[in-house]
Amino acid sequence: MTHLVEPTRQGVLHYEPTTAAIERRAPAERRLRDVQAIFADRLACQSLLTTNPLIYRVTQVEDHNGEGDIHYGIGMLMPGKVGREYFMTKGHIHAWRPAAEVYIGLRGRGMMLLEDERTGECLAVELTANSTVYVPGYTAHRTVNVGDEPLVYWGVLSSAAGHDYGAVAERNFRLVVVEKDGQPVVMERVDFLAELQGAQA
Ligand code: MN
């Protein structure tokens, strides 16, 4: 005898790892117009805004909000660049600062920028299919797609974590990931801005 139960009532959700779709869930989309302020090259940004490309799509599962519960979400970050800077997410830090998160790469080739709010320490690590990244508490994080196909990943964290976008939007990240001779390189933002000014002078 089988007992068929509505899947979500049992905590089961089906997702599609190539498109990052989750059944019966509506994704949130971020296009260039929504996130334009994060990119360093203003001229390149202006010209790309005529097509206003999709930068990323996130679908969150936040069904359980009791003590000890977990939220999770799947992200799909498109391939592309604004000038030399690869497409990336806005980035955030958790409203509850001690909350850590694990990212689980499903598809593509990317990086994560990690910035410790207490020490200012910055780190760029790879996020690829079949790899995980542990994001400790007190750490702002941003995802960057350095490949030529969509970067798809899960993020799993405490339901109490919350998202603080304002703190990151004010100062942006100190590091940037830009293309140089066909390869992704990590630079200090101030150095990249100086290069841009030199090139556009
Ligand atoms: Mn997070």
Side-chain angles (χ1 to χ4, degrees):
M1 190 178 175
T2 57
H3 300 271
L4 289 174
V5 179
E6 177 70 17
T8 51
R9 297 194 56 181
Q10 292 291 73
V12 176
L13 276 178
H14 298 284
Y15 72 95
E16 176 49 62
T18 53
T19 62
I22 305 178
E23 58 176 342
R24 300 189 305 280
R25 304 287 166 138
E29 283 194 352
R30 297 285 175 264
R31 294 187 167 270
L32 181 59
R33 195 173 308 284
D34 308 314
V35 298
Q36 54 180 300
I38 63 179
F39 293 100
D41 189 335
R42 305 317 307 160
L43 288 178
C45 195
Q46 282 305 317
S47 68
L48 252 192
L49 275 172
T50 55
T51 55
N52 194 25
L54 175 69
I55 307 294
Y56 59 99
R57 205 151 67 190
V58 181
T59 308
Q60 306 279 4
V61 182
E62 301 181 334
D63 297 347
H64 305 278
N65 292 289
E67 190 180 6
D69 278 331
I70 281 176
H71 285 172
Y72 54 107
I74 195 167
M76 179 173 72
L77 177 56
M78 303 307 288
K81 291 186 302 250
V82 176
R84 291 171 50 203
E85 195 171 17
Y86 293 96
F87 282 5
M88 59 189 173
T89 59
K90 263 199 301 193
H92 64 268
I93 190 163
H94 297 143
W96 181 38
R97 293 294 196 268
E101 179 165 9
V102 62
Y103 274 68
I104 303 163
L106 300 177
R107 177 186 179 195
R109 196 163 68 89
M111 300 190 79
M112 287 190 78
L113 294 178
L114 306 176
E115 194 166 314
D116 188 314
E117 185 182 61
R118 298 163 303 176
T119 63
E121 189 191 356
C122 297
L123 204 60
V125 299
E126 67 164 34
L127 173 68
T128 61
N130 307 322
S131 74
T132 63
V133 175
Y134 187 80
V135 179
Y138 301 94
T139 303
H141 40 291
R142 159 178 285 168
T143 314
V144 185
N145 188 344
V146 299
D148 49 19
E149 64 171 322
L151 176 70
V152 182
Y153 50 87
W154 281 111
V156 184
L157 75 175
S158 165
S159 66
H163 293 83
D164 182 349
Y165 293 98
V168 166
E170 266 176 40
R171 59 174 184 266
N172 212 335
F173 283 64
R174 208 182 79 203
L175 299 178
V176 294
V177 186
V178 300
E179 186 262 336
K180 189 166 196 174
D181 303 323
Q183 294 298 319
V185 296
V186 179
M187 294 179 72
E188 296 276 342
R189 175 178 306 278
V190 289
D191 295 337
F192 182 54
L193 286 169
E195 267 191 23
L196 280 178
Q197 279 187 341
Q200 289 168 2

